[in-house]
Amino acid sequence: MSTTNYYSSASSSAICFSPHGVPSKCWCGENITTFTSKTKENPYRRFYRCVIAMKRENEDHLFKWVDEALLQEIRMVEEKCKLVAQDVNALRMEVMGTMKLHNINFKKMEDAMSKKIMKTVGVASVILCSIVWLWGRV
Ligand SMILES: [Zn+2]
């Protein structure tokens, strides 16, 4: 980190072309460094800028206040959290729907098994009674 007294405020063109959130590179390809403003308007306010921009003041390079970039970053994370929460909710609804369908199918299978068992027990009872009755006659 170094200090400078060049920048009193962000130029409007720099704001228009600034990437959202914390920048990692300037559009000239140079890495971004954090500098500290020493102006009356923004004393000790930190900003992002590439080293080339600090040497060549007349060129148009990325400029962004650190506090504004961090605020944008937090809002981006909040938006991502909302999307993740929506995805989780949609997934939960899908799983609950699938579980409900499985429960219905399981209940149908249980009923069908129950009917088959009752039918088998009924037939077996008739056969057993017939055998006992026939045995008794012999
Ligand atoms: Zn640059």
Side-chain angles (χ1 to χ4, degrees):
M1 189 175 78
S2 60
T3 58
T4 184
N5 56 4
Y6 299 129
Y7 303 97
S8 58
S9 64
S11 68
S12 58
S13 64
I15 288 171
C16 290
F17 296 111
S18 289
H20 213 60
V22 176
S24 57
K25 277 192 183 282
C26 178
W27 46 78
C28 70
E30 192 68 30
N31 286 332
I32 293 293
T33 309
T34 306
F35 297 94
T36 305
S37 169
K38 286 186 168 179
T39 61
K40 274 189 218 168
E41 294 86 2
N42 295 291
Y44 303 107
R45 193 175 180 192
R46 297 173 72 202
F47 61 92
Y48 294 113
R49 199 90 163 127
C50 73
V51 179
I52 293 172
M54 300 307 282
K55 291 174 188 167
R56 302 180 206 162
E57 289 177 54
N58 296 331
E59 289 184 12
D60 193 24
H61 291 262
L62 185 139
F63 176 90
K64 196 164 195 176
W65 293 114
V66 169
D67 55 308
E68 289 175 358
L70 292 177
L71 197 63
Q72 287 177 351
E73 200 75 26
I74 289 167
R75 288 189 180 134
M76 285 162 56
V77 170
E78 280 175 351
E79 287 304 310
K80 282 180 186 171
C81 283
K82 281 181 193 170
L83 290 175
V84 169
Q86 285 173 356
D87 283 353
V88 167
N89 203 32
L91 196 61
R92 184 175 0 147
M93 296 302 281
E94 191 180 316
V95 168
M96 285 174 71
T98 305
M99 290 285 285
K100 198 173 179 178
L101 195 66
H102 283 239
N103 279 345
I104 290 168
N105 287 340
F106 185 73
K107 185 74 180 158
K108 282 180 187 172
M109 279 174 47
E110 199 176 57
D111 290 346
M113 291 278 287
S114 183
K115 281 180 188 170
K116 274 189 180 176
I117 288 170
M118 291 301 283
K119 199 173 180 180
T120 307
V121 167
V123 169
S125 299
V126 168
I127 292 169
L128 191 64
C129 287
S130 301
I131 291 170
V132 169
W133 182 75
L134 286 171
W135 196 268
R137 291 189 61 123
V138 174

